[in-house]
Amino acid sequence: MAYCSRAVLSKACHAVTWQTQARCFHQSPLSYAAGKAAMSRFDDAQLPYDKLRKNYEVVKKRLDRPMTASEKVLYSHLESPASQELERGSSYLQLRPDRVALQDATAQMALLQFISSGLPRVAVPSTIHCDHLIEAQVGGVEDLARAKDLNKEVYHFLASAGAKYGLGFWRPGSGIIHQIILENYAFPGLLMVGTDSHTPNGGGLGGLCIGVGGADAVDVMADIPWELKCPKVIGVHLTGALSGWTSPKDIILKVAGILTVKGGTGAIVEYFGPGLDSISCTGMATICNMGAEIGATTSLFPYNQRMHDYLAATGRKDIANSADDNAALLTPDAGAPYDQLIEINLSELKPHVNGPFTPDLATPIDQLASTAKANGWPLEVKVGLIGSCTNSSYEDMGRCASLARQALDHGIKAKSTFNVTPGSEQIRATIERDGIAETLREFGGTVLANACGPCIGQWDRKDVQKGEKNTIVTSYNRNFTGRNDANAATHAFVTSPELTTALSLAGTLEFDPTRDTLTGADGTQFRLEVPRGDELPSRGFDAGEDTYQHPPADGSGSEVAVDAKSQRLQLLEPFAPWDGKDMDDMTILIKVKGKCTTDHISAAGPWLKFRGHLDNISNNMFLTAVNADTGEMNAVKNQVTGEVGAVPATARDYKARGVSWCVVGDENYGEGSSREHAALEPRHLGGRAIIVKSFARIHETNLKKQGMLPLTFANAADYDKVQTTDKLSLKGLSSLAPGKPVECVLKHADGSTDTIQLLHSMNAQQIEWFSAGSALNRMRQKRQQ
């Protein structure tokens, strides 16, 4: 059984309101029955292999060398393959992605920008996924019902915008965007952009899926070539085979430990080698998903039999057959050059636990207890959480259930609170049917809604007080300070779902399931057998409830309204263009010390409800960034009044007084989420420039898109010359040009000055965005010419 295709949707199947739960299935999707595979069962658009092969042949002849799989897929999507400059790490590529995916928290701002562009309909297949606004409180059913009520204004806006502008709409409860993409839309050779940093999940099915800000997504939806700096390619050569307690998650945990949170910046991570044969398709997706934590542009596995099997199991046998016919386009050439090569023998790889507070602090399980004691980390595991977009496959859930069953057979349950997040409605329905969910409940687990939940801070946690030092263990991907529960004292560790389950069973970081024993209810000592689980369900997947709304062929009659009094949604006003002058005597709003992720700049959790209202969400700007002067958070001195106040309030005061301001930051500024709010908020509150030691890729692009100046110190040590009482001037902006440094004059409070050099990575088009005030402003200018 499969969802009906776009071509055969009836009025009964289509609905404009998001609440509708109509089911509409057909035995054979029309787009597949025609003999040539569509990109998905929901799309009329055909697989692009014919075009990709033609482009690939052009580039292959030009390069005249072996090519990586990443290069083949990426370069075959070039706007101009015959003339595009192809220099890794420096050229800016003009690309034509196949589709766009938006999650509900970022979709609001993306769609508000698309609406302001004046365009009638999206130009490429695009979808909206409701997964971020569902808070974990009690359990899946109750939490979903509450979210539908609390967020009905936003859901109605997204559903009606989807209907009007031609985007498919996945209702709340359908699942996490990345799992839905993997199950329905990803295919080998795909180039997709998504407004979430973990979009690379689709690399597990051989697609280049890249996280972007909303403005980038708008470009693609508006049929404008999408710009990407030509990435380098890091090769990870896998030998040996996974076995025992070692899982696919341990591969990326190990790679994160090697490359750190910024080691993948500006690069695609491509996995290859004989070790691939021991990794499931969903396991490959896990690895690609967490590649976001090393700053990688995206990650990719070459097409193989495990992908074919997954496509067939999810009703896409025709796509699998087409991929078979195009395997040369989807796999690396022998001798293909990599900019960096990492060797990992899977037969020797140990299970890892990474954290706390950063996803690249990698510790093998046999060293965890001693490391935790040496660092004073809380040993008791308060909560274990499995699932999320990273690890919620049928295989993951089955392997965890095998451990839970062993414990239950010995009369014991989890000592820690244990939460389970299914990745999609299809996964939820299938694990319910096959008894896996019930086993996890018997173990002590609570099955949460098919949504992001605690992974992104949507967790109404009650078992500890704010500021209480404690440990949680998750199978998630990200563990920045306060991310999961808004408690800066929570020590969050990321690991495999299997180790999360084992540590929750023991209730302590001191437990190593590869060698330690547990005590059964009868006092008998026993050791857990290695986890086991089917890669794919033997009875096939159960689709569960239909949660998809297809857009009508003509959406011109649909209405999209935004109440001017709304506290959740706000239409956007264009940012002012650059006035053509140097930026003289700017005030420094805050000099940030240490890690400053997008969570620090624009917190998630309870603030997610304001993602569609720029002015309201700007009240969370830099709440948890550390002031380099004082070591405090959300406390800066107003350089006009002399008073100490909250960062957003101080910025608002500067804006009201007409005082231009800038921010000074540290290394890898803006790592983490793709949320463009971290760029929009400083722009909205009067910021002009962000000056740091180095940027994370997505955030730097988002700043450029919104007309901000993202600048880096030519000499990182000059960060120390900046004093928060300085007046900072940027000189020579009228001659701003690609590759040309910007002169910065620091006027200190004692009257002395320092002149330093700042660098930027803007090309000619991006300088046009700055001049126009934003990329969207420039788009409007071009349409009016």
Side-chain angles (χ1 to χ4, degrees), residues 48 90 112 269 380 414 527 532 570 619 622 661 712 743-744:
S90 61
L112 287 166
V269 179
E380 180 189 3
R527 181 177 294 168
R532 303 184 186 279
Q570 180 187 47
N619 289 321
F622 292 110
W661 56 264
T712 57
E743 181 180 286
C744 174

Side-chain angles (χ1 to χ4, degrees), residues 681-713:
E681 292 173 31
R683 184 76 165 98
H684 174 64
L685 294 185
R688 307 297 301 278
I690 307 293
I691 304 166
V692 300
K693 292 180 182 179
S694 64
F695 283 105
R697 175 190 65 86
I698 300 176
H699 185 62
E700 182 180 25
T701 300
N702 287 344
L703 289 168
K704 294 175 183 178
K705 287 281 186 176
Q706 303 307 333
M708 294 283 283
L709 272 182
L711 303 167
T712 57
F713 294 103

